[in-house]
Amino acid sequence: MRAPLDHSRIPEPWHTPEPATHRYRWLLLTVIVVLTLAGVVAAFAHDALPSTTQPLGWTYDYSCCSAFDCRSVGTAAVAETSEGYVVKLTGEKIPYGDKRIKRSKDEYFHQCTIGGDPKATHSICLYVPDRGL
């Protein structure tokens, strides 16, 4: 015959966790909240990547970028013509006097398009590097 079960060792569903377990749960929750907030802050701080002239990067103007619209396109991606700049991938022409042209804070061109789409045919802004003029 079997020995009767000792029901005193089976935890009940409403049993509160031990204090150490409770602290670990709060620690885990705190870490998750901090990492989530850090991600939100990083999303709002839309910065250009570090470069030779800006080793810490730099922040795009909020008037051009909604936290993710801009990216470096390099110097070979944009041609300078007599009428203005041409984005080679899309053929978009931006005249020199256009208000969308901004001064780049490093040695690269940076293009801002809706959603950061590199194939977009309309730029919100085009950051142009200083040519020493």
Side-chain angles (χ1 to χ4, degrees):
M1 183 164 225
R2 275 180 149 168
L5 291 175
D6 182 7
H7 293 290
S8 65
R9 297 180 145 214
I10 299 174
E12 296 188 28
W14 59 84
H15 177 71
T16 57
E18 295 298 320
T21 305
H22 193 66
R23 281 192 297 263
Y24 291 130
R25 286 184 182 168
W26 276 110
L27 177 63
L28 179 62
L29 179 64
T30 302
V31 168
I32 290 170
V33 168
V34 167
L35 291 176
T36 301
L37 289 175
V40 169
V41 169
F44 285 116
H46 184 45
D47 295 342
L49 296 175
S51 65
T52 305
T53 57
Q54 292 289 335
L56 299 177
W58 54 278
T59 302
Y60 295 117
D61 296 333
Y62 188 73
S63 62
C64 284
C65 308
S66 297
F68 56 88
D69 295 327
C70 295
R71 70 204 166 284
S72 174
V73 292
T75 55
V78 178
E80 296 180 62
T81 68
S82 58
E83 292 86 29
Y85 299 99
V86 177
V87 179
K88 292 180 182 179
L89 181 63
T90 62
E92 177 186 15
K93 296 175 183 153
I94 303 173
Y96 287 118
D98 196 305
K99 66 180 180 177
R100 297 177 292 162
I101 295 175
K102 308 279 185 196
R103 185 170 181 254
S104 176
K105 296 177 184 168
D106 63 15
E107 66 271 27
Y108 299 109
F109 285 95
H110 298 261
Q111 183 186 20
C112 305
T113 56
I114 295 175
D117 181 8
K119 294 181 181 176
T121 58
H122 179 76
S123 295
I124 300 168
C125 291
L126 180 68
Y127 286 91
V128 177
D130 188 11
R131 297 298 191 203
L133 300 173

